[in-house]
Amino acid sequence: MEKLEPPRVGATLQALRQAQGLSLDELSRRAGVSKSMLSQIERNQANPTVAVVWRLANALRVELSELLGGERPAAPPIELVGAHSTPSLSSPDGQCRLRILGPIELAGQFEWYELTVQPGGALESEAHEPGSREHLSVLVGELEVTAAGGKQWVKTGETARYAVDGAHVIRNPGKKVATALLVVLHA
């Protein structure tokens, strides 16, 4: 007799949650299922009970069969990621903040960020892969880029493009907060 595997709902659950712009916290609150359990289900490290699947389906406003079917739902025509769902990183000194705007599945290939640098702050980066480049578009303020042996001021509305296969720095030597879009193209 063939042993049947329980349905794996992790990928479907994650796709539905992300398509609706829900964080793990929000879905946890709506469904009454712990955040750690949701994370384990999405990573296929736990098989939920029927009661848990029922609560998740209700919280997501989908049919129970859609979660149990194991099929990924079609992507919505427009995926909206809420501001609260956009992860961010801060430098150890708190002077620089990167909001990660690009999808995680493109990390290491094509990444884009909203960069905020406080006066006197600097984002210092190690070398990326040979042939990699950054594109820095300043939205507010002025920034100074040091890369590939050169130094360049970048003012509001301007874009600097430069090689990043060596150490490089984006610095705010001004007296006002600077904001920019930073795109990294990995080779």
Side-chain angles (χ1 to χ4, degrees), residues 135-143 152-161 179-181:
H135 303 252
L136 179 75
S137 299
V138 177
L139 302 174
V140 176
E142 296 181 356
L143 292 169
Q152 180 67 53
W153 276 88
V154 188
K155 299 175 187 169
T156 300
E158 295 180 332
T159 298
R161 297 182 175 109
T179 304
L181 292 177

Side-chain angles (χ1 to χ4, degrees), residues 25-35 37-38 52 55-56 59:
D25 284 327
E26 179 63 20
L27 182 56
S28 171
R29 188 187 63 71
R30 284 186 185 183
V33 176
S34 74
K35 183 178 168 183
M37 174 57 83
L38 288 175
V52 169
R55 289 198 309 256
L56 291 170

Side-chain angles (χ1 to χ4, degrees), residues 73-92:
I78 299 172
E79 179 183 352
L80 178 65
V81 179
H84 66 281
S85 297
T86 304
S88 64
L89 306 167
S90 292
S91 61

Side-chain angles (χ1 to χ4, degrees), residues 50-83:
V50 172
V52 169
V53 174
W54 182 83
R55 289 198 309 256
L56 291 170
N58 282 330
L60 292 166
R61 296 177 184 91
V62 299
E63 296 294 322
L64 190 65
S65 60
E66 190 170 348
L67 272 178
L68 292 174
E71 295 177 18
R72 290 186 74 132
I78 299 172
E79 179 183 352
L80 178 65
V81 179

